[in-house]
Amino acid sequence: MRILIVEDEPTLGNQLKTTLEQNGYAVDLSADGEDGHFLGSTEEYDAVVLDLGLPEIDGLTVLGMWRREGRNFPVLVLTARDSWSDKVAGLDAGADDYLAKPFQTEELIARLRALIRRATGNASSELTAGDVRLDTRSGRVTLKGEPVKLTAQEYKLLSYLMHHKGKVVSRTELIEHIYDQDFDRDSNTIEVFVTRIRKKLGADVITTIRGLGYSLDDPADQPRG
Amino acid sequence: MRILIVEDEPTLGNQLKTTLEQNGYAVDLSADGEDGHFLGSTEEYDAVVLDLGLPEIDGLTVLGMWRREGRNFPVLVLTARDSWSDKVAGLDAGADDYLAKPFQTEELIARLRALIRRATGNASSELTAGDVRLDTRSGRVTLKGEPVKLTAQEYKLLSYLMHHKGKVVSRTELIEHIYDQDFDRDSNTIEVFVTRIRKKLGADVITTIRGLGYSLDDPADQPRG
DNA sequence: TCTTCGACGATCAGGATACGCATGTGCTCT
DNA sequence: AGAGCACATGCGTATCCTGATCGTCGAAGA
């Protein structure tokens, strides 16, 4: 985990840097807003500790610039000011947390832990196979980046296959997982939807294994022969 | 957005509930740890306000139980105690933010906004999708710069969709996050409000995915995945 | 190796239906 | 009184299932 500290007061800055490094973080230290902004814009950080009272450029301005550039690493704001209106301004400017000086370094560490946990906790549940990409969180399917419109049943079928990528899935297994309890098993709906999916995503995404079922393979997983 | 308040002091609890409801949140109020834990485990909340000093079960214990159950809604912890060691304990137990009593309700609102903003992956308090712009701070909505008047429910619905831009949101998910606990889930209110919003903002802002739900897409996000 | 035949899978189209949309009505809270 | 809301009803249609037909694979025999 990599942290950027933007703090103009050398004593505090170096103390923070040392403490964070002892806690296993990689730390960059910047002493003014301009330099800090440049670092935050060009390097990859997991979190930023930002002092509001900076020379040259104000901390809130730097924060606003980052957010407008699309940088969305978690930012913890430090300030000597203690009025709640300043806190509100900071939070609304895009800060994720706030800490008033003076503070215990233990609290800073704990807050950083919480911020990073939250930022990385949103692991995107994306399934891919070849050019096909399925996002289970958003319920979206794309082919070579282009969004593809699937109906509910088509989506369910594809989703199950992608969750069991590389495995041969029998038709009864598909029926059991796509439909609820009572469903007439003597019908060819599965084949129908396989056909439709193939039409939308290409014939080669789903492989037929005669007498056994279907299988969805990722070309990337096949050590070609 | 739906909030759970766990606060044993009735005066403060009801005051918070009222204030949050006036700010457009659906709010459930629980007076003790056991009940609060049950609600947080079974219902869908976008954020939780948790008082540490509770009868029956301690707030930190409740928080720990939630996290062990895999519940990861943002939690804002309230406490009368002001020592930093308690803050650290709270944050390490899985809290996302901390507020010491007494506090300004404005600050609570601002912090909740920030928590929800981060939890849904949005860096700015201004949400945009195509020509539609929604400012969570002022509660204003504009279409091509022109202000649009939305009713409370219309705003809640649109706000939730914009917080989850690009994701397919089911009708039950919408109901769970827009209304509080006691609400008859068998009605078509969601469809009605979707219709109303489309009339005011244009038919193409909200896409229907049959059998799955609704989705709000930003044309600017379409090129490439 | 080639041919043939049976079995399984793929495809197509029509009807049934569940789904979502729009409008209307009365209730509730300002 | 008015606005906003929940809820009910009727309508149009996308989606789904069904059944029939067509296509394809593979084993077995010549």
Side-chain angles (χ1 to χ4, degrees):
Chain A
M1 292 294 154
R2 192 160 165 216
I3 313 277
L4 170 65
I5 302 176
V6 189
E7 167 61 67
D8 60 322
E9 195 184 328
T11 320
L12 178 58
N14 282 310
Q15 182 213 323
L16 284 180
K17 183 164 153 61
T18 308
T19 309
L20 288 179
E21 279 170 353
Q22 284 169 353
N23 277 268
Y25 295 104
V27 182
D28 292 344
L29 176 59
S30 176
D32 73 83
E34 197 172 354
D35 181 50
H37 169 247
F38 176 76
L39 282 177
S41 299
T42 52
E43 299 291 329
E44 293 293 332
Y45 294 103
D46 300 290
V48 173
V49 178
L50 177 65
D51 194 342
L52 282 196
L54 292 171
E56 306 297 330
I57 315 180
D58 177 62
L60 279 182
T61 311
V62 172
L63 179 51
M65 288 160 76
W66 280 334
R67 293 314 189 205
R68 252 174 280 120
E69 293 164 9
R71 297 259 137 192
N72 60 354
F73 37 61
V75 173
L76 189 149
V77 156
L78 299 182
T79 171
R81 299 170 257 179
D82 200 18
S83 80
W84 61 265
S85 65
D86 282 332
K87 301 183 194 178
V88 173
L91 290 166
D92 276 328
D96 302 279
D97 203 353
Y98 165 92
L99 202 54
K101 299 185 199 174
F103 54 86
Q104 301 284 335
T105 46
E106 280 87 342
E107 182 172 357
L108 177 69
I109 304 267
R111 283 182 180 273
L112 273 180
R113 262 203 301 269
L115 280 182
I116 291 173
R117 167 162 42 78
R118 174 139 299 275
T120 57
N122 295 344
S124 74
S125 43
E126 265 199 347
L127 303 170
T128 64
D131 294 332
V132 180
R133 185 175 294 257
L134 184 146
D135 185 357
T136 56
R137 230 168 98 75
S138 69
R140 281 291 172 75
V141 176
T142 60
L143 174 64
K144 296 181 185 174
E146 296 297 322
V148 177
K149 257 190 83 178
L150 293 187
T151 68
Q153 304 292 338
E154 290 163 7
Y155 176 82
K156 285 187 200 167
L157 177 43
L158 179 67
S159 167
Y160 189 84
L161 284 176
M162 293 198 74
H163 272 100
H164 300 81
K165 195 164 63 173
K167 177 191 166 193
V168 176
V169 181
S170 72
R171 220 162 322 147
T172 51
E173 184 178 346
L174 283 169
I175 288 179
E176 276 168 358
H177 282 88
I178 290 175
Y179 298 95
D180 50 20
Q181 281 184 324
D182 27 50
F183 181 79
D184 183 14
R185 276 103 201 279
D186 289 341
S187 93
N188 66 343
T189 44
I190 297 297
E191 281 130 305
V192 171
F193 285 117
V194 168
T195 300
R196 306 189 88 128
I197 292 174
R198 281 181 175 149
K199 266 194 177 165
K200 290 185 178 179
L201 297 177
D204 51 344
V205 281
I206 300 176
T207 314
T208 306
I209 291 93
R210 278 208 153 221
L212 293 178
Y214 298 97
S215 151
L216 191 145
D217 303 303
D218 193 335
D221 294 344
Q222 306 245 333
R224 243 318 48 114
Chain B
M1 294 295 151
R2 192 164 162 209
I3 312 278
L4 171 64
I5 303 176
V6 188
E7 167 63 64
D8 62 308
E9 197 182 316
T11 320
L12 179 57
N14 281 309
Q15 182 214 323
L16 285 180
K17 182 165 153 63
T18 307
T19 308
L20 289 179
E21 278 171 350
Q22 283 168 356
N23 277 269
Y25 295 104
V27 182
D28 291 341
L29 176 58
S30 176
D32 69 90
E34 196 173 354
D35 181 50
H37 168 248
F38 175 76
L39 283 178
S41 299
T42 53
E43 299 290 323
E44 293 290 328
Y45 295 104
D46 297 290
V48 173
V49 178
L50 177 65
D51 193 342
L52 283 196
L54 291 171
E56 306 298 328
I57 313 179
D58 179 61
L60 281 182
T61 311
V62 172
L63 180 51
M65 288 159 78
W66 280 333
R67 295 312 189 205
R68 251 174 280 120
E69 290 163 11
R71 296 259 135 193
N72 60 352
F73 38 61
V75 172
L76 189 149
V77 156
L78 299 183
T79 172
R81 299 170 258 181
D82 200 17
S83 80
W84 60 265
S85 65
D86 284 333
K87 301 184 196 178
V88 172
L91 290 166
D92 274 332
D96 299 276
D97 201 355
Y98 163 91
L99 202 53
K101 298 187 203 172
F103 54 84
Q104 301 282 337
T105 45
E106 279 88 348
E107 182 174 359
L108 177 69
I109 303 267
R111 284 182 178 273
L112 274 180
R113 263 203 303 269
L115 279 182
I116 291 172
R117 171 162 29 88
R118 168 127 306 266
T120 56
N122 299 105
S124 159
S125 61
E126 247 196 13
L127 303 171
T128 65
D131 294 331
V132 179
R133 184 175 293 258
L134 184 146
D135 185 357
T136 57
R137 201 149 93 93
S138 64
R140 289 277 175 75
V141 176
T142 61
L143 174 65
K144 296 181 186 174
E146 294 295 319
V148 176
K149 255 192 83 178
L150 293 187
T151 68
Q153 302 298 325
E154 288 164 7
Y155 176 82
K156 284 186 198 171
L157 178 42
L158 180 67
S159 165
Y160 189 83
L161 283 176
M162 293 199 74
H163 272 95
H164 299 83
K165 195 165 62 173
K167 179 188 167 193
V168 176
V169 182
S170 72
R171 219 162 321 141
T172 52
E173 183 177 345
L174 283 169
I175 288 177
E176 275 171 352
H177 286 269
I178 290 176
Y179 298 95
D180 52 26
Q181 223 185 347
D182 24 56
F183 179 79
D184 182 13
R185 275 105 200 274
D186 288 340
S187 96
N188 66 344
T189 41
I190 298 296
E191 281 130 305
V192 171
F193 285 115
V194 167
T195 303
R196 298 246 158 87
I197 292 175
R198 280 180 176 149
K199 270 194 177 161
K200 291 185 177 179
L201 298 178
D204 50 345
V205 280
I206 299 176
T207 314
T208 306
I209 293 93
R210 265 197 166 235
L212 293 179
Y214 298 98
S215 152
L216 192 144
D217 302 303
D218 193 336
D221 292 346
Q222 288 299 331
R224 266 307 79 76

